[in-house]
Amino acid sequence: MPYTADQPRPRESADDLRARIPGWGADLDPADRPAVPRERFDPGATGAHWTFPDRQPETQPRERSIEHEELPPVFGDTVHLKGLSGVIRRHAYARYSEARAAHWLLLILGDRVDAIESHLVSFATTRPDEPITQSGVLAELGHRPVGSRLDGRRADLKHMWIDPVIVAGPWLLAGGAVVLAARAVVTRARG
Amino acid sequence: MRAMTYRGPYKVRTEEKDRPKIQHSNDAIVRVTRAAICGSDLHLYHGLMPDTRVGTTFGHEFIGVVEEIGSSVENLSIGDRVMVPFNVYCGSCWFCARGLYSNCHNVNPNATAVGGIYGYSHTAGGYDGGQAEFVRVPFADVGPQLIPEWMDEDDALMCTDALATGYFGAQLGDISEGDTVAVFGAGPVGLFAARSAWLMGAGRVIVIDHLDYRLEKARTFAYAETRNFMHFDDIVVEMKKTTDGLGTDVVIDAVGAEADGNLTQHITGSKLKLQGGSPVALNWAIDSVRKGGTVSVMGAYGPIFSAIKFGDAVNKGLTLRMNQCPVKRQWPRLFEHIRAGHLKPSDIITHRIPLEHISEGYHLFSSKLDDCIKPVIVPSAV
Ligand SMILES: NC(=O)c1ccc[n+]([C@@H]2O[C@H](COP(=O)([O-])OP(=O)(O)OC[C@H]3O[C@@H](n4cnc5c(N)ncnc54)[C@H](O)[C@@H]3O)[C@@H](O)[C@H]2O)c1
Ligand SMILES: [Zn+2]
Ligand SMILES: [Zn+2]
């Protein structure tokens, strides 16, 4: 009871716990805990044999946080910026620091635009996006779709209906854009 | 090569991609023999992490065989079987020199607040991940380590993230002998955190989730008491009741940005992305821990603000501790625990999925179908 100074009595003794649980108390001494103390100055421990790493070549102008004074020596060099999403993302990096909500909200906007752009582009390839196989919904078969969900009272049942909307949304938008474009072409051809 | 690729929220597929190349003298190219899907990947999959680009390959838990090495690599040879920590880090910056490997300053142009993580969006450096046949591993002399001869490959795989993170989370709880430890979330991270709390001498470990099959695992694998939060009108009140009104000494948040339990928080945080995530579990942690207690946050959150009950944390005099796990620091001691039989990490693996069926794997894990706890991905080339 917190209203008095007494410590609630433990339910199980250390001996009981040791008997029941493999390794109980093996790391009781903080000295055995690898994350303690948090900071330990030991540059020799990492395997690095350089004081500053060689610089990876910058094959394309690499966007970076304005909180970085210079481009770090090593970086991921995948999926370069392109299209409208690239313009949005580049602006988010060039203009706003990580401290600014605008930085992150623009990046999220860039993500949504990227998804739509990429869907549209995919329709011009031999492997267009399609929501059935890409959403993995076929895994429902054979993996207890009903039983899994009705086992107990799962909290996420309340919002599962949103997921298909998110999956189909950009696809419907892209489809709609195609229809509108086709209509425009047809109208112009007739006009 | 074949690689998992992101196609937009809730959509992934396996496609043909160029094999990664050596881009720096200390790079290695690793042929992946096994990878896993992490709860963190779900945040990307659901479109929650800013600057996740269509075409990116996810996967930060993987083991494999060294296929190619750069000119300055000294510690690895072609053909070595290696386990790779999820952190990309240089080993020599101000932070790495002090053991903060997950906070490296030399590997991520996109953000100074985030280190480098394989396959974890451009916000974590723009590296491709290991859910593929091949992956570029920067700083081959720093991160990867030979898989010990005696170690099972699945156990090695679990060491690259989930186990190391759970163990790290328990350490950040500063557990003393006899402490009552609550763990929110019975996913891989929570299960390993609960199990690790005992190693540090906890007197009681309570795991909270809403998925009964995972709570069952918490009882059998992690020897924990469990609470299904759906069975209580208010889980915080239950946590107080079960500790004689005191609150628990330590709470570990192993849920993160997509917490359930409050529909408004979940929808604004996880679905609409108006917050850096839904902080339901973190707020429960703050309110369940005793005054003067410690909250260890392993759950991942996005970089924008979240509606966190900071006033309670201040008034209660809490210690809040958190980080991405500096994985390799945990290994020597974790290896001892595995070898001594204190831990059998591969016990939590429930599904094995060929890389070609990656979208089914994501759907299964995301929707928590078929009692899924930890799916392992097997590239076809193996
Ligand atoms: N800090 C790190 O280094 C690090 C490393 C790995 C994973 N993570 C993070 O840890 C978290 C867990 O990862 P995981 O792989 O175990 O994921 P997971 O999705 O398998 O597990 C999360 C669990 O939390 C449960 N849950 C949801 N809302 C809850 C609530 N309000 N209270 C209690 N439980 C709730 C879910 O039912 C699920 O079982 C994720 O956020 C992940 O990003 C962090
Ligand atoms: Zn992870
Ligand atoms: Zn570093």
Side-chain angles (χ1 to χ4, degrees), chain B residues 5-70:
Chain B
T5 45
Y6 175 69
R7 295 299 310 168
Y10 293 79
K11 290 181 285 289
V12 300
R13 72 183 182 196
T14 313
E15 58 182 57
E16 202 57 34
K17 257 188 149 173
D18 289 341
R19 246 171 83 160
K21 291 188 189 67
I22 301 273
Q23 292 184 296
H24 179 273
S25 62
N26 212 250
D27 280 359
I29 304 298
V30 168
R31 177 168 57 82
V32 178
T33 51
R34 245 169 261 199
I37 309 181
C38 175
S40 301
D41 292 326
L42 295 181
H43 308 325
L44 299 177
Y45 177 62
H46 296 152
L48 205 70
M49 189 69 174
D51 209 356
T52 303
R53 301 184 188 169
V54 172
T56 304
T57 296
F58 300 167
H60 54 270
E61 296 181 282
F62 59 90
I63 61 170
V65 177
V66 177
E67 180 82 10
E68 214 181 313
I69 50 175

Side-chain angles (χ1 to χ4, degrees), chain A residues 67-142:
Chain A
E67 292 176 57
H68 264 305
E69 284 159 23
E70 54 181 63
L71 183 68
V74 167
F75 46 86
D77 195 17
T78 59
V79 204
H80 300 130
L81 296 175
K82 58 176 187 303
L84 177 60
S85 61
V87 173
I88 297 170
R89 285 164 168 157
R90 200 179 291 286
H91 178 66
Y93 283 108
R95 173 69 187 80
Y96 300 105
S97 80
E98 296 158 57
R100 304 282 290 276
H103 176 85
W104 300 111
L105 294 172
L106 279 172
L107 287 177
I108 289 179
L109 174 67
D111 289 355
R112 300 296 95 90
V113 171
D114 182 13
I116 293 171
E117 283 179 325
S118 301
H119 285 324
L120 289 175
V121 169
S122 82
F123 294 142
T125 67
T126 51
R127 202 164 168 218
D129 279 319
E130 48 84 15
I132 305 293
T133 57
Q134 290 181 8
S135 67
V137 63
L138 298 175
E140 297 275 334
L141 299 170

Side-chain angles (χ1 to χ4, degrees), chain B residues 146-170:
Chain B
L146 296 185
I147 300 176
E149 279 303 322
W150 53 269
M151 192 183 279
D152 178 79
E153 298 223 318
D154 285 335
D155 288 337
L157 178 62
M158 293 298 101
C159 285
T160 62
D161 180 359
L163 174 65
T165 300
Y167 183 62
F168 177 65

Side-chain angles (χ1 to χ4, degrees), chain B residues 91-125:
Chain B
S92 60
C93 68
W94 196 95
F95 302 98
C96 287
R98 285 162 180 78
L100 299 173
Y101 304 157
S102 50
N103 310 105
C104 179
H105 210 65
N106 271 338
V107 289
N108 182 359
N110 300 72
T112 55
V114 191
I117 305 177
Y118 292 97
Y120 209 67
S121 84
H122 274 68
T123 294

